Amino acid sequence: SVRNAGGDRIVSLSKSSHVTLNRNSIIEKRLLLALDQKNLHVLYQPQLDVKTGKFTGVEALVRWDDEEIGVVSPDELIPIAEETGLINNIGSFMLEKACEQAVLWKKAGHNIKVSINSSVREFRDKNMAKSILATLERTGCPASLLQIEITEKFALEAEAETSIIKQMRTLENEGIVFALDDFGTGYGSFRYMQLLPISILKIDQTFIRSLKFEKTQQLVNGMVQLGKSMNLTVVAEGVETEEQKDFLTNIGCDILQGYFISKPSSSNGISSLLV
Ligand code: C2E
Ligand code: MG
Ligand code: MG
Ligand code: MG
């Protein structure tokens, strides 16, 4: 049993909750150490520009293989990091890496836009915009090469927090582009598109996975046309088959991302794909 926030009541937990609590606190401890020793790393997943047939961007995805607890997937890691506040440390680590990498590719003659994923908790830091701009400056990365992906969950919370929207606008004015990730999975997607400075829609993988159904085809077609009518760039996530790629190409989707295009890979792996 654990004490609740009030401190006076004892709440009893099932055995499996204890196991989860334990694992979460081990993850938290190991994560602190990993951040300190810079033992996290980054994989980059290419994004294919349909019109040019070239890779014009990559999404940076965190990876962690801890020597004691093994691989911890982002789906397990990120919620714990959000809860404990360590997401801010992960975020600055990823930002730094992404900027450094974009500069390396630029020096090699490739203008590759690097997208990072941000959690709303990072933007509750009043200095978030300032520290992103400082990182661009320090690494020499042009603002135009950085994109920030936010989820609908982020958007839902940001809606009521004007200081978050203000920071997003500041960054947008500097040339950083925002993408709405996992588009279509939450509710209220359309409201956020009005409210937030979003230039890219990333259609969620679940829709792409169901493209064999005619109804889903119509739905995805609608999303792409909607995005285009609003002058947004439309990205499809989770493209796993040639049929999906062909369909998305035919309806005018701008950018494709997914295992069929390329799996996430190391920066060296990406460099070898750039010609
Ligand atoms: P996301 O931002 O929607 O990223 C796409 C996820 O789909 C990645 O999973 C990627 O590896 C996976 N994926 C890409 N193509 C395919 C495909 O064709 N099929 C399938 N089944 N999956 C594909 P990953 O790397 O496990 O990340 C999961 C989620 O964790 C991300 O979803 C993102 O929300 C979050 N995340 C990852 N890295 C970070 C980070 O550095 N910061 C934050 N705040 N969140 C992160
Ligand atoms: Mg993403
Ligand atoms: Mg996504
Ligand atoms: Mg996702």
Side-chain angles (χ1 to χ4, degrees):
S1 62
V2 291
R3 281 177 184 282
N4 72 355
D8 52 1
R9 247 183 63 215
I10 301 295
V11 183
S12 104
L13 298 169
S14 68
K15 203 166 176 196
S16 68
S17 318
H18 279 295
V19 173
T20 310
L21 270 186
N22 244 325
R23 169 141 173 104
N24 288 8
S25 64
I26 291 168
I27 287 178
E28 185 183 351
K29 258 189 233 124
R30 298 297 305 174
L31 179 57
L32 264 168
L33 197 66
L35 281 162
D36 195 46
Q37 302 178 339
K38 299 205 183 294
N39 271 343
L40 298 176
H41 61 274
V42 189
L43 290 188
Y44 299 89
Q45 186 174 35
Q47 299 176 322
L48 181 75
D49 184 311
V50 173
K51 265 197 211 84
T52 62
K54 288 188 173 164
F55 294 125
T56 50
V58 293
E59 177 174 5
L61 298 159
V62 69
R63 291 294 180 265
W64 181 28
D65 187 355
D66 185 75
E67 60 178 22
E68 264 181 28
I69 56 176
V71 173
V72 181
S73 76
D75 288 332
E76 185 175 24
L77 168 66
I78 298 299
I80 296 171
E82 286 175 342
E83 183 107 342
T84 55
L86 291 174
I87 193 67
N88 296 61
N89 308 56
I90 293 179
S92 20
F93 173 83
M94 296 295 289
L95 174 67
E96 182 103 21
K97 286 281 186 189
C99 291
E100 285 170 355
Q101 193 54 56
V103 169
L104 287 175
W105 281 322
K106 188 169 187 292
K107 283 182 178 154
H110 308 290
N111 276 310
I112 300 296
K113 292 175 184 147
V114 181
S115 296
I116 57 167
N117 293 278
S118 275
S119 300
V120 72
R121 186 156 179 172
E122 298 174 64
F123 273 81
R124 293 221 167 90
D125 174 354
K126 300 274 184 294
N127 288 316
M128 180 65 172
K130 228 185 263 169
S131 69
I132 290 176
L133 295 174
T135 303
L136 289 176
E137 182 101 30
R138 191 172 58 248
T139 56
C141 178
S144 60
L145 291 183
L146 182 65
Q147 299 185 338
I148 299 178
E149 299 189 6
I150 63 163
T151 59
E152 294 198 339
K153 184 171 149 248
F154 179 122
L156 177 72
E157 298 188 33
E159 196 176 9
E161 299 179 54
T162 49
S163 77
I164 294 179
I165 302 178
K166 226 189 241 162
Q167 297 210 68
M168 290 176 72
R169 294 238 162 87
T170 302
L171 293 172
E172 190 203 28
N173 286 335
E174 295 291 330
I176 294 171
V177 160
F178 285 91
L180 188 54
D181 206 352
D182 306 344
F183 178 71
T185 55
Y187 80 102
S189 319
F190 303 115
R191 207 169 61 243
Y192 308 137
M193 285 155 58
Q194 280 187 301
L195 185 75
L196 303 174
I198 286 164
S199 313
I200 301 173
L201 287 188
K202 296 191 76 177
I203 301 175
D204 191 64
Q205 321 194 354
T206 52
F207 298 104
I208 310 306
R209 204 169 299 140
S210 307
L211 272 180
K212 53 185 174 296
F213 302 111
E214 201 183 324
K215 256 196 188 155
T216 308
Q217 291 174 13
Q218 291 163 345
L219 187 58
V220 170
N221 185 33
M223 291 186 199
V224 171
Q225 304 324 318
L226 172 86
K228 291 185 147 316
S229 74
M230 294 181 71
N231 275 322
L232 303 173
T233 298
V234 184
V235 180
E237 296 194 299
V239 179
E240 292 184 349
T241 70
E242 186 157 25
E243 292 74 44
Q244 292 165 354
K245 180 186 173 188
D246 291 344
F247 177 80
L248 292 160
T249 301
N250 285 333
I251 62 172
C253 190
D254 301 299
I255 291 174
L256 306 180
Q257 184 182 343
Y259 295 165
F260 184 74
I261 311 299
S262 172
K263 291 210 164 170
S265 78
S266 67
S267 54
N268 284 336
I270 300 291
S271 299
S272 68
L273 294 176
L274 304 174
V275 278

